[in-house]
Amino acid sequence: MAKRIGVLAVQGAFAEHEAMLSSIGAECRELRSAADLEQKPDALVLPGGESTVQRKLLMESGMLAPIKSWIEEGMPVLATCAGLILLAEHLSNDERTCFKTLPVTVRRNAYGRQLGSFITEAEVRHIGMMRQNFIRAPYIEAAGPGVEVLSETDGHITAVRYKKQLALAFHPEVGPDTRLHEAFLRMI
Ligand SMILES: NC(=O)CC[C@H](N)C(=O)O
């Protein structure tokens, strides 16, 4: 049976994740309001976008607490960019934490204005070299015990796994490379 992925769809790059996941056989369901949480998915995607807006909409819609419980209970989650910010236990330059299920310290908009967006090639552990797309990206300043570092660029951590949480500063949903999404589906 196809794996059912709940994709947070309040703001940001959710459609790209849905297209990629559908192309590799998963079934996506958009999570826009508390009513969409009645059917529990097998896994979650928290897409890129603007984390402060996503956080506000999560609080207003009543989805924050139930989604946090799902993650704490071990539901696999793939988080990219703003999604990583939502998962982080600590933010070094902002007070607006959200789910706080991932024991890392994240810096928002970490690459500054000059280098706000860029593409690089870097190794991702268990996968290999990947073209990585950074869009006004955060990076991970510190990772707590039990957090596996999967990728680094210029000395900064850009991808981690902690239990069933896979979190990336870059955007694997952009472009033709489906390996990361395939690895995520194997975590379910
Ligand atoms: N591409 C992204 O998701 C950027 C994240 C955004 N800069 C934020 O702080 O929320």
Side-chain angles (χ1 to χ4, degrees):
M1 218 175 75
K3 289 170 178 166
R4 290 165 310 138
I5 315 299
V7 181
L8 183 67
V10 291
Q11 189 270 340
F14 52 87
E16 292 84 348
H17 278 289
E18 288 168 13
M20 189 164 273
L21 286 164
S22 304
S23 80
I24 55 172
E27 201 175 282
C28 294
R29 193 187 154 83
E30 293 187 350
L31 308 179
R32 294 174 181 274
S33 70
D36 297 326
L37 306 185
E38 278 163 24
Q39 266 184 312
K40 200 170 169 178
D42 298 316
L44 282 171
V45 169
L46 304 177
E50 182 54 43
S51 58
T52 54
V53 176
Q54 295 182 357
R55 173 179 179 272
K56 184 168 176 282
L57 295 170
L58 278 163
M59 292 192 301
E60 286 173 3
S61 64
M63 289 198 287
L64 197 156
I67 291 180
K68 180 176 162 75
S69 307
W70 282 350
I71 299 170
E72 284 170 345
E73 286 161 12
M75 183 180 288
V77 51
L78 170 63
T80 57
C81 209
L84 159 66
I85 297 168
L86 296 184
L87 289 183
E89 214 168 273
H90 306 285
L91 302 177
S92 61
N93 57 348
D94 205 306
E95 276 158 16
R96 289 165 285 183
T97 49
C98 189
F99 295 119
K100 301 185 71 156
T101 53
L102 181 65
V104 295
T105 302
V106 166
R107 170 165 288 268
R108 290 187 61 209
N109 299 318
Y111 295 94
R113 280 167 196 267
Q114 291 296 320
L115 204 58
S117 301
F118 61 98
I119 293 173
T120 191
E121 290 263 339
E123 175 83 17
V124 178
R125 233 176 140 189
H126 313 300
I127 290 185
M129 290 301 283
M130 278 193 86
R131 197 176 150 88
Q132 300 181 354
N133 214 307
F134 291 82
I135 306 168
R136 296 185 59 240
Y139 60 60
I140 297 166
E141 284 185 340
V147 176
E148 182 185 13
V149 174
L150 300 177
S151 196
E152 288 179 75
T153 285
D154 295 336
H156 298 298
I157 302 170
T158 56
V160 292
R161 176 167 173 179
Y162 175 71
K163 299 181 182 171
K164 295 275 182 178
Q165 300 175 60
L166 180 57
L168 320 166
F170 52 90
H171 286 261
E173 76 282 12
V174 178
D177 188 346
T178 56
R179 286 176 297 165
L180 223 142
H181 287 74
E182 285 167 39
F184 172 58
L185 292 184
R186 285 196 295 272
M187 280 168 54
I188 300 172

